[in-house]
Amino acid sequence: PLGGTAADTAARDWRFAVVSDAQFVAREPNSAQARQARRTLREVKRAAPDFVIVNGDWVDEGSPEDLAFAHRMLREELGDELPWYYVPGNHEVMGGSLDAFTEEFGPAHRTFDHRGTRFVTLDTSSLTLRGGGWHQIRQLRRQLDRAARDPHVGAVVVVTHVPPRDPTGQEASQLTDRLEADLLERWLAEFRRTPGKGAAFIG
C-alpha cells in the first residue's frame, strides 16, 4: 500500500526518517530556516526512528561554513545514539564541486544494509547521475545484482535528492537527463519483477 494509518505505521518492525530542503546559511544561525530545521530534527528524534536520511539541500549555499554549521546542528540535535546519512543536493554544491561536502561528511554516495533492506544513496547534486561519477552508476547496478542473489536482502531502497521525474509536472526538480531517468526506473522495475523483492525510491 502507498499509505496506511498511523497505527499501521507504528506497529511495523522498524522505521527511518527522511528530512531535506531546510536551506539555511551559517551566517544566520538563528534564522527561521535554521530554527525550523532544529525543530524538525527534535521531532524526528522524539519519533525514535532507527536512522535518519538527510536528503539534500539541508543548507542553502554549500559554503564550508554552511556545511560545518549543518554538521554541528546534526550532532547537537540528534546526538550520538541516532545514526544519520547525508545525501547531497544541488544546494550543497551550488554549481561548484563536492569537495567541501566530502571533506565535511565523507562519501557523496554509499551503500548500507539495515535489517534486510539494502539502501543505496546516489549523488545527484549536479541534477544527473553521471555528474556523481560513472562509478556510482556501476555501483548501483552491482548492488542490485548482489541484492537479487542475497537471501538476507529482501528489498532495495534507492535514495537521491532529485527524482527521475518531477511529480508536480513542472519538470523543475528532476533528473535533467531523461535517459538516466528511464534507466533508473527500468532497473528498479526489473529488480522488483525478476527476483520478486521489494524496491523503493526516495527523492
Side-chain angles (χ1 to χ4, degrees), residues 169-196:
Q170 297 176 4
E171 301 183 357
S173 181
Q174 63 181 13
L175 291 174
T176 55
D177 187 319
R178 307 321 300 147
L179 292 176
E180 288 184 351
D182 290 342
L183 177 73
L184 181 56
E185 291 176 344
R186 186 171 73 251
W187 280 2
L188 288 177
E190 288 171 353
F191 179 83
R192 179 68 184 90
R193 183 175 61 251
T194 305

Side-chain angles (χ1 to χ4, degrees), residues 25 33 50 100 121-122 158 165 202:
V25 292
Q33 292 90 338
D50 288 25
T121 75
L122 301 174
V158 174
R165 301 176 193 279
I202 297 172

Side-chain angles (χ1 to χ4, degrees), residues 69-148:
F69 178 52
H71 204 162
R72 188 171 77 245
M73 179 189 293
L74 289 163
R75 286 194 307 264
E76 290 172 355
E77 300 298 342
L78 299 181
D80 297 328
E81 65 273 17
L82 184 54
W84 49 269
Y85 304 90
Y86 196 150
V87 181
N90 50 297
H91 280 260
E92 272 72 28
V93 298
M94 290 303 287
S97 78
L98 264 178
D99 292 347
F101 177 87
T102 56
E103 185 173 335
E104 188 69 44
F105 293 104
H109 56 88
R110 62 183 73 220
T111 299
F112 62 95
D113 288 358
H114 185 79
R115 298 183 66 174
T117 298
R118 176 154 302 165
F119 286 79
V120 182
T121 75
L122 301 174
D123 167 24
T124 57
S125 60
S126 66
L127 307 183
T128 67
L129 291 175
R130 68 180 179 276
W134 172 243
H135 55 285
Q136 79 168 350
I137 300 175
R138 292 178 59 195
Q139 178 70 359
L140 173 60
R141 181 70 264 166
R142 188 178 301 117
Q143 291 302 333
L144 289 171
D145 293 341
R146 289 177 178 172

